[in-house]
Amino acid sequence: MTEIDVVIIGAGHNGLTCAAYLAKAGLRVRVVERRKVVGGAAVTEEFHPGFRNSVAAYTVSLLNPKIIADLKLAEHGLTIVERRAQNFLPAPDGTSLLTGEGRTKAAVAKLSVHDAEALDGFSRRLETIADVLREFVLRAPPNLVEGFGAGAIREAFNALGTANILRNLSLEQQRDLLDLFTRSAGEMLDERFEHDLVKAVFGFDAIVGNYASPYAAGSAYVMLHHAFGEVNGKKGVWGHAIGGMGAIGQAMARAAREAGAEISCEAGVREVIVEKERAAGVVLNNGETIRARYVASNVNPKLLYTQLMPADALTEDFRVRMQRWRNGSGTFRMNVALSALPSFTALPGNGDHLTAGIIIAPSLTYMDRAWQDARDHGWSRAPEVEVLIPSTLDDTLAPEGAHVASLFCQHVAPELPDGKSWDDHREEVADLMIATVDQYAPGFAASAVGRQILSPLDLERQFGLLGGDIFHGALSLNQLFSARPILGHADYRGPLEGLYHCGAGAHPGGGVTGAPGHNAARAILADHRALFKSRG
Ligand SMILES: Cc1cc2nc3c(=O)[nH]c(=O)nc-3n(C[C@H](O)[C@H](O)[C@H](O)COP(=O)(O)OP(=O)(O)OC[C@H]3O[C@@H](n4cnc5c(N)ncnc54)[C@H](O)[C@@H]3O)c2cc1C
C-alpha cells in the first residue's frame, strides 16, 4: 500500500493529459487503466493481419493547441496532417459536393448560386460563436455553489470572467449564440440554404454522436461542437494523426511518464475508497489498494457513480440523477481492410476527395428518416455512413497498394427494441453498412478483405463507453456547461472531498480535446496549493 498524491482512473487521452500536467507540477501521480493499452477511445490497433487503424475515434480537430504545445506532443512523436479536401458528399443522382480550403464556395455555386451567396454569412456566424466556445473550452464553466465560502468567491470571479467574454459579443451575436445552443440544426439550415447537399454537409455534424433527428431542438449545438477545433492553426479543419489516433495517446503517455507519472495497464479499478466522506484512493480488480490524496476519474460519470462508488457515499438525489445520466450516442463503428481504393460513381477514380470525410447522408430528410427508422427498427435500413480512408494520407497503416477505411455510422439504437441483442445483429448491420457504401462506390464490398465491427454494445464492453456513448453522455443542454456532469459540480470537483472529474463527462464534453483533463488538473492543483498554504 503506497500513499501518492493523485490516482487517475483510466488512461484515456484526458486521464493522460491530467496526469502529465499534475506530474509536471511535481505531484506524485499514478494512472490505472483497465485495458492493455493507453489512449481510451483514441487508440490504433492491428485489426486484420497487416492492417492497422484508429479503432474508435478516427479524425482530429478538437485537440486543443495549448495542450499540444504544453505537453510538447510533437516532440513526443505526434504529427497531424491536413486532409487534402474536407468533405465529399455523393448524391444518388450522381451529383456531389466537395468542400475544402479554397474550393467550397465554387463547389456550392455549381449546385446553387443562392446557397453560395448565403455561405459566407452563415460560416461567419458559426465561426464567431465557435470562437466563443474556444474561449470557454479551457475554462471551468460557472458553477452553482451553496453558501458563502471560498467556493462562492471563486465562482463569483469565474462568473465575472464568463460575463466579460459574452459582453464582447454584439446583441446580434448573442442572438446567434442562443440559436446555436437551443435550436435544431435542420430549421436553421432550411432557413438559409436550398440545396440538399449543402444542408447535409453542415447537418451531418449535428447528428454525429447525437441520437436525434437533425430537426431535434439542441442539434445545432452538436453542429457547433464539431466546429470549434483546428488543425495546425487552421480553424474548423479536420485532419489525421500519422499512425492513427493512438499516436495522440502514446505521445501524451510519453509526456506524462517523462514528467514522472506512473501508468499501469490491465489495472482496472473495482472501487473508490471513501473514508470520512473523502475519496481516499482506489482498489483494483486484482485487489491492490492505492491510497491517494486525490482521486481523478476519467470514466463516464454514470459508470463512476453507479459502479465504482459505494452507494451510501452519495446523496439520494445525486445518485438518482447519475443513474438517469443520458448515454447512447447511437453510433456503429467499423474498420475495413481494402485491397483497392473505392471509385465513386459521382466522382470516379482517385483524387483529393478520397482523403476527405466521405458522407453518405445526402439530405436532412434522409437523416431524419434514418433516425425514425432506427427508433422503430433498431437501425436504419438506409443508414448514414461517413467513410474516411486515412491510408491516403498515411502509409504506415496498410500494406503497399492496400488501404484502410474507417466507417462511422450514425443512428443505430443504443439498445435494440423488442429484446433484440447487438450480439445477434452485429454482422447483419455491418453488411448493410458495406452495401450502403457499395451503392455509391460499386466494387467497395468486393475490395473489403477484412473488417472490425463495433456496435454500441461492443463500444461499451471494450472501452467502458456506457450505451456506446462516444461523448461520455449526450451533449444536450441539460448535460452541458454548468450542468456537466451535474449542477453544482461543473468545476471538476465531485461531491466528495478529494474526488475530481477529468474525462469527457465534464465540460467541454466529448471529442479528443484534452480539455477536461487540462481543466481538472488545474482544479486539483488549485486545491493542493490552497491546502499547503493553509497549513503554512
Ligand atoms: C466510435 C467513436 C468515434 C469517435 N470519433 C471521434 C473523432 O473522430 N474525433 C474526436 O475528436 N472524437 C471522436 N470520438 C469521441 C472521443 O473519442 C471521446 O469523446 C474521447 O476519446 C473521450 O476521452 P476520455 O479520455 O475522456 O475517455 P475515454 O477515451 O473513454 O477513456 C476512458 C478510459 O477509462 C478506462 N476505464 C474504464 N473503466 C475503467 C476502470 N474501472 N478502471 C480503470 N480504467 C477504466 C477505459 O478503458 C478508457 O481507457 C469518438 C468516439 C468513439 C467511441
Side-chain angles (χ1 to χ4, degrees):
M1 239 192 284
T2 47
E3 166 98 27
I4 53 172
D5 291 315
V6 193
V7 61
I8 298 180
I9 307 171
H13 83 284
N14 277 314
L16 295 169
T17 300
C18 190
Y21 277 104
L22 294 173
K24 270 158 66 87
L27 271 62
R28 290 162 304 160
V29 182
R30 180 157 170 206
V31 187
V32 284
E33 165 58 44
R34 193 179 56 101
R35 299 191 74 221
K36 282 188 185 153
V37 285
V38 300
V43 278
T44 305
E45 286 171 19
E46 187 177 67
F47 67 97
H48 185 74
F51 291 82
R52 299 185 319 128
N53 199 15
S54 309
V55 180
Y58 59 101
T59 180
V60 60
S61 173
L62 308 178
L63 185 59
N64 193 272
K66 175 178 185 290
I67 296 170
I68 296 177
D70 286 353
L71 304 190
K72 300 190 169 61
L73 295 185
E75 285 171 37
H76 288 293
L78 178 64
T79 305
I80 299 173
V81 295
E82 286 169 52
R83 303 172 180 176
R84 289 196 290 275
Q86 280 298 305
N87 285 118
F88 171 58
L89 285 86
D93 65 1
T95 54
S96 66
L97 173 62
L98 182 62
T99 65
E101 196 178 7
R103 57 170 109 216
T104 304
K105 199 164 178 183
V108 168
K110 278 192 198 154
L111 301 175
S112 158
V113 173
H114 167 274
D115 288 359
E117 281 166 7
L119 191 66
D120 286 345
F122 182 67
S123 300
R124 202 169 39 246
R125 282 168 189 264
L126 196 62
E127 189 51 40
T128 302
I129 306 306
D131 273 341
V132 177
L133 208 54
R134 286 185 184 103
E135 291 202 55
F136 279 112
V137 159
L138 293 186
R139 291 178 66 96
N143 191 35
L144 295 189
V145 286
E146 290 177 313
F148 295 100
I153 296 170
R154 186 177 59 225
E155 283 312 322
F157 280 108
N158 190 12
L160 272 177
T162 304
N164 266 339
I165 294 174
L166 296 178
R167 222 182 36 191
N168 288 333
L169 295 177
S170 68
L171 194 55
E172 194 180 325
Q173 289 166 336
Q174 292 187 41
R175 289 174 183 143
D176 285 342
L177 186 135
L178 183 65
D179 283 348
L180 282 164
F181 272 65
T182 56
R183 295 189 66 199
S184 84
E187 279 171 351
M188 292 183 72
L189 294 166
D190 281 344
E191 284 161 6
R192 289 163 173 84
F193 300 112
E194 61 182 19
H195 198 282
D196 280 340
L197 290 178
V198 180
K199 295 181 202 178
V201 73
F202 290 108
F204 188 72
D205 275 348
I207 55 121
V208 169
N210 185 19
Y211 189 52
S213 162
Y215 288 99
S219 56
Y221 175 76
V222 182
M223 176 172 73
L224 179 68
H225 191 88
H226 285 103
F228 73 68
E230 59 182 75
V231 169
N232 301 334
K234 291 187 184 163
K235 289 179 180 178
V237 166
W238 288 81
H240 171 72
I242 296 294
M245 295 298 274
I248 297 173
Q250 294 298 330
M252 287 174 165
R254 277 185 213 113
R257 285 197 174 108
E258 188 184 271
E262 187 186 341
I263 303 170
S264 311
C265 288
E266 297 185 285
V269 169
R270 187 169 71 205
E271 194 177 32
V272 174
I273 303 169
V274 177
E275 283 172 2
K276 296 183 188 152
E277 300 183 358
R278 255 198 89 89
V282 298
V283 183
L284 302 186
N285 289 328
N286 65 12
E288 185 187 350
T289 295
I290 304 168
R291 299 192 66 82
R293 200 187 296 274
Y294 312 108
V295 177
S297 169
N298 182 197
V299 305
N300 183 305
K302 182 171 178 180
L303 193 157
L304 171 69
Y305 289 112
T306 64
Q307 296 182 26
L308 303 184
M309 295 282 293
D312 59 6
L314 307 168
T315 64
E316 173 76 359
D317 181 68
F318 189 97
R319 199 175 48 75
V320 168
R321 285 180 189 276
M322 278 299 134
Q323 265 162 359
R324 292 180 187 151
W325 176 251
R326 193 160 73 84
N327 284 312
S329 49
T331 32
F332 189 97
R333 180 78 172 80
M334 293 178 67
N335 291 302
V336 186
L338 297 173
S339 58
L341 280 173
S343 179
F344 285 81
T345 309
L347 191 52
N350 204 340
D352 290 352
H353 64 297
L354 296 186
T355 73
I358 300 165
I359 296 172
I360 297 177
S363 71
L364 295 173
T365 310
Y366 183 101
M367 296 180 216
D368 181 50
R369 283 198 193 126
W371 178 72
Q372 303 276 0
D373 201 19
R375 294 230 345 148
D376 296 342
H377 179 73
W379 59 88
S380 166
R381 270 71 60 99
E384 304 116 322
V385 184
E386 180 179 1
V387 184
L388 195 74
I389 312 169
S391 49
T392 55
L393 296 169
D394 181 351
D395 60 12
T396 69
L397 300 174
E400 209 181 327
H403 286 274
V404 289
S406 304
L407 268 53
F408 197 29
C409 317
Q410 309 302 317
H411 288 153
V412 302
E415 277 177 35
L416 293 176
D418 309 323
K420 290 186 285 194
S421 165
W422 275 112
D423 281 334
D424 301 322
H425 295 279
R426 178 186 296 113
E427 298 290 334
E428 175 188 355
V429 175
D431 288 343
L432 171 70
M433 299 307 175
I434 297 230
T436 302
V437 181
D438 198 75
Q439 281 171 25
Y440 290 79
F444 181 80
S447 69
V449 293
R451 66 189 194 182
Q452 176 184 39
I453 310 168
L454 291 160
S455 71
L457 184 60
D458 301 317
L459 290 172
E460 174 164 328
R461 283 182 186 147
Q462 281 200 34
F463 297 102
L465 296 167
L466 297 194
D469 198 302
I470 71 167
F471 295 136
H472 288 199
L475 300 180
S476 47
L477 200 51
N478 64 325
Q479 297 193 163
L480 282 172
F481 289 89
S482 304
R484 195 165 183 91
I486 187 169
L487 273 186
H489 297 283
D491 61 351
Y492 305 92
R493 296 169 178 89
L496 302 181
E497 288 284 311
L499 182 63
Y500 297 82
H501 309 132
C502 69
H507 171 79
V512 179
T513 67
H518 167 280
N519 298 354
R522 194 172 45 205
I524 294 168
L525 286 174
D527 291 353
H528 189 64
R529 286 175 187 140
L531 178 72
F532 280 88
K533 209 167 151 196
S534 71
R535 286 184 181 172

